[in-house]
Structures are given as structure tokens and as C-alpha cells.
Amino acid sequence: MNPFAKVLLCTTSLLAAIVVLPSAIFASVDPTTVYARAFALLAAEPYVEKGFHVREDYWAGDLASGERKAVRQQLFKGNEYWFWLGTEVDHAKVSVHIYNSDGKLAEQPDSWAKGHLAAAHIIPKTTGSYFIIVSVEESPAARTHWALAYGFR
Amino acid sequence: MVLFSKRLNSIVAAVFGLALCAHGAQAPQHVNINQLSTTVEDVVVPLPNEIFGALNKLGAVNWKEHVRSDEEPNFTERPRIALLLGTVIADGFIAVQAEDAPAVKDIGQRVLALAKGIGVGNSITPHAKAIIDAADKRNWANVRQELDRTQNSVQQAMNEVHDEKLSQLVSLGGWLRGTEVLTSVVKQHFSNDGAELLHQPDLLTYFQTRLQAMSEFNLPIVHQIQDALVEVKPLINIGNARISAESVKKVNEITTRLGNDIIKKD
């Protein structure tokens, strides 16, 4: 696929991601969170085609550059998970990593970060609580809104 | 819409940015969990099918025997309806596992009736229709997604009117029904990996904390669940040890008892 076609496809996907967000979200959530979530869903889209069920529920917040936050989540051995982080802030750099309850990095090596999108992949070795750490590495904004979605198969 | 248009330019620019190459993110190999002072308080409760999917990978499960199609009584207390709604949505996931289209369609209607009972029917109508359509086409992935959307929309609608506690009861009802079926399956064909799926101590603590803050819901069922969670906790919160067949059986007895209490009138 040529680069223009790729960009066109991505643009269409992002707009589609915004359109399919439940209307209730627009009614009750800060618009920046809606956009941040749309970017997280954009990152998730290729994985849906691979059979991942992307949860409707998600986490959101805002961070200053260099700040991080931890989300605690129950994961089940036998499943495979991806966590997708997005922000709407141009030129921001974000990251997401997964640690087990002992604080040991537990993600797969194909986890990635790409500007204002990042994703972490885990195939849990045990059932229990894990920590998903989201951080804003750099951002031109004083506070950078973020949204974290996850999917499993 | 104005905001949407303003943001469109930056979205398109951002998507152009995706042409940049992805890179492997460097992360510390170890973090001190106790020093993570900034933890997000929001909890996303796993869906029943998240657990059922893991269970399926351990061996074939006869999901049909867990499909429930009893008619529930009409409750007037909103907390009872919320608990029942969570249970019925979980029943929807079970019916999907069993690929039982008539049961899924019936559950779609019941979900809608219960949602109306707590005043959030409008936000559920399109999902109920989508569930029924997808069941007709036996498109199980779509049914699962719509059940997830249903639960999410119910909770969003409740949160909008500051009924967060009812929203938490929907999650709790689903979790209890999911745990009842999980323990029933593992009890029949015990395996350590199956029993390990019960290792959810933080989730249990989350529900206990939320229930403690619901003093205004002075209903026998709420107290029964509180007492039951106290019983369940030591059975599943055992650190790195294995959860025994006896513990699985006890958790099944407790959650089955609660499940019956949730669907029956006092």
C-alpha cells in the first residue's frame, strides 16, 4: 500500500472510531477525553481484526510531562491482552508498560510507542493483579489528556 | 461540532505522524509498586467472557448446561434491579458461549425491560435490538461486543444522573454470576489452572469497599452479599499458594446461594 493510501486509511479509521463512540460518552465526558480515547481506539483497530475484543470501558486522566500513573487491573492466565494508550496532543510522546504485582516488567517484547500512541502486550503467566503504568514522556501541553483502552482474546 | 471541526486539522496532522516508525519502548525491568503513589482509582471490572474465554482454553465446557432462562420477578427496589441486570447481562455472555440464539434473544429483551425499570431504557434500546439482530445472524462476536456496550451504556447513563452506586451493583451482579459459573465448571473438572482463575483478591476488595459505602441500600440482599464476600475472601486470597478443590466448591456454594437470592423475591 502506498503512503498516501495508508494515511487515508488511518484518517478514515480515526474518524470512524470517533463516530462509533457511544453517544453517552459525548454527553458526559470531557471532549479531550473523547479524542484521547479515539486515538487509543485507532491504535487498537488492527488488533480487532486479529480477534481481540476491545472493552467499551476505559481509563482516562491527564498528566504533566514526565509524570506517570498506574492502573491496577485483574488479568487472567490463558488470555492474551493488549493495552492501548492515546492522547490528542500533537507532538506529545506517551508510553505504557505492564508490571506484575511484584513490580517486575511482564510485557511482551512487541510492545511499542509511536509519538502520541503506545501499546503494551501481555500473555499473563499467572492470574491476578497487574500494574499498567502510563506516562507522558514529553508534551507541549501543560497537562496532557490520555485514555487507556484494553482488549483480550 | 465546532470543536470537532477545529480538532479535525490536528487529527489529520496527527495521523500523518503515524508514518513515523514505531520503536520498541525502553522500560525499567523493575519498579517499586509500593512507591507508586499515583494510582488510578477507577476499576474496570473484567467481563464474564474474559474469564470464560480463559476457561475454554483449559478444555471443552458444556456451556448449554449453564444457560438460564427463568423469568425473574418484577422488583421495585432499584438496587435489586441493578444487581439482577448485571446477572442477566452475564447470562447473555453464557448464552453466547453456548451459541444459544433463542436464549440470547430472550436475554436481550429482559435486559431492556430491566434497564427501563431503573430508568435507563432509552440508552439500551439500540443495543437490545443489535443483540437480537446479531443473535439471528449467529454473529457471536457482535453479540459479545453489544453486551459489553449494553453494560457500559447502562453504567454511563447511571453515572450521568449520579447513580454510581447502582452502576457498581450492575458490575457486582455480573461478577457474582460469572464467579458462580466459573466455580461450577472448575468444580466438575478440577484443575489448578482453572482454580487459579479465581485468584481475584483486589477485585473482591474493590467490591467490599463499594458495598461498605452503600449504607442507604438497607436491603437484605446487600447485607447477604457483604457477608458472603467476607466468607469468600480467605478462600481466594492465598498469595502464591494454590486454590484447592475444596475452596472452589465452597465459593460455588456461596455464589450459587447468592445467585438464587438475587433472582428471587425476599
Side-chain angles (χ1 to χ4, degrees):
Chain A
M1 198 187 292
N2 69 48
F4 178 75
K6 272 187 185 174
V7 167
L8 190 64
L9 185 66
C10 286
T11 309
T12 311
S13 302
L14 182 62
L15 293 175
I18 293 171
V19 168
V20 300
L21 289 172
S23 54
I25 287 179
F26 288 93
S28 60
V29 179
D30 186 310
T32 48
T33 300
V34 174
Y35 287 114
R37 188 182 176 225
F39 277 102
L41 292 182
L42 175 68
E45 196 186 73
Y47 301 88
V48 174
E49 289 158 19
K50 293 177 184 170
F52 281 86
H53 174 129
V54 180
R55 289 292 310 272
E56 293 295 316
D57 220 343
Y58 62 97
W59 300 268
D62 60 76
L63 289 167
S65 288
E67 269 189 341
R68 65 181 185 173
K69 267 201 172 179
V71 165
R72 190 195 293 248
Q73 182 61 5
Q74 170 75 40
L75 302 181
F76 298 92
K77 181 183 171 183
N79 287 344
E80 179 182 359
Y81 297 85
W82 273 97
F83 288 82
W84 302 283
L85 177 67
T87 177
E88 86 289 359
V89 177
D90 297 337
H91 308 300
K93 280 177 71 178
V94 296
S95 70
V96 56
H97 297 289
I98 307 171
Y99 292 84
N100 67 16
S101 55
D102 296 324
K104 192 177 169 199
L105 189 67
E107 68 198 29
Q108 296 292 113
D110 56 352
S111 302
W112 53 267
K114 187 165 56 180
H116 58 162
L117 301 179
H121 181 204
I122 181 168
I123 301 169
K125 288 183 178 159
T126 57
T127 293
S129 286
Y130 287 78
F131 290 87
I132 298 91
I133 299 184
V134 300
S135 57
V136 173
E137 310 285 347
E138 295 172 23
S139 178
R143 304 292 299 178
T144 300
H145 286 89
W146 56 269
L148 178 73
Y150 86 96
F152 65 94
R153 70 174 181 187
Chain B
M1 257 350 236
V2 174
L3 180 62
F4 181 84
S5 303
K6 280 183 180 173
R7 294 300 306 162
L8 193 59
N9 285 343
S10 57
I11 288 170
V12 172
V15 171
F16 272 94
L18 292 181
L20 295 170
C21 293
H23 59 85
Q26 294 295 316
Q29 291 298 308
H30 201 275
V31 293
N32 188 340
I33 295 297
N34 297 325
Q35 287 180 349
L36 288 176
S37 55
T38 53
T39 303
V40 176
E41 294 299 323
D42 295 338
V43 168
V44 173
V45 176
L47 288 176
N49 71 317
E50 207 168 321
I51 302 165
F52 299 159
L55 202 52
N56 250 353
K57 288 164 196 153
L58 297 175
V61 177
N62 181 10
W63 291 104
K64 287 189 192 304
E65 72 180 85
H66 301 287
V67 173
R68 198 164 61 175
S69 55
D70 310 338
E71 284 294 315
E72 301 89 9
N74 292 322
F75 292 120
T76 50
E77 305 99 329
R78 299 179 82 222
R80 293 219 62 167
I81 300 172
L83 274 170
L84 184 56
L85 179 55
T87 302
V88 173
I89 292 172
D91 278 328
F93 283 110
I94 296 162
V96 172
Q97 292 294 132
E99 301 192 347
D100 185 336
V104 171
K105 289 162 71 174
D106 179 49
I107 285 164
Q109 296 291 357
R110 283 153 61 201
V111 164
L112 183 57
L114 289 167
K116 283 178 180 168
I118 43 174
V120 294
N122 286 347
S123 47
I124 299 311
T125 303
H127 298 308
K129 186 178 178 303
I131 288 169
I132 292 164
D133 288 349
D136 268 334
K137 293 172 187 157
R138 302 178 68 81
N139 185 339
W140 305 118
N142 276 12
V143 178
R144 286 187 184 98
Q145 198 70 50
E146 283 301 331
L147 284 166
D148 188 3
R149 284 183 184 145
T150 301
Q151 179 156 323
N152 190 259
S153 292
V154 166
Q155 294 181 308
Q156 290 271 356
M158 287 175 176
N159 292 345
E160 270 178 53
V161 292
H162 305 293
D163 268 342
E164 288 88 353
K165 291 177 181 177
L166 287 182
S167 166
Q168 290 152 8
L169 287 178
V170 174
S171 292
L172 177 58
W175 182 80
L176 286 169
R177 177 68 179 138
T179 306
E180 179 188 343
V181 173
L182 164 65
T183 50
S184 176
V185 171
V186 176
K187 190 179 73 169
Q188 283 174 10
H189 306 284
F190 182 82
S191 70
N192 287 322
D193 281 345
E196 194 190 321
L197 295 172
L198 269 177
H199 187 244
Q200 306 170 34
D202 288 335
L203 216 44
L204 198 78
T205 303
Y206 163 76
F207 284 126
Q208 285 186 307
T209 308
R210 292 297 176 270
L211 283 169
Q212 280 163 11
M214 293 183 189
S215 53
E216 66 270 42
F217 297 158
N218 191 17
L219 295 168
I221 187 67
V222 173
H223 297 303
Q224 285 158 12
I225 296 172
Q226 278 180 310
D227 293 345
L229 294 186
V230 171
E231 278 184 83
V232 169
K233 197 164 192 176
L235 301 171
I236 66 168
N237 191 6
I238 53 169
N240 293 327
R242 286 181 168 170
I243 295 172
S244 68
E246 187 57 30
S247 293
V248 172
K249 188 166 167 268
K250 279 186 188 162
V251 176
N252 181 252
E253 285 166 5
I254 294 164
T255 50
T256 302
R257 189 181 72 223
L258 283 180
N260 290 333
D261 291 342
I262 286 172
I263 62 171
K264 283 180 187 157
K265 285 220 176 204
D266 293 328

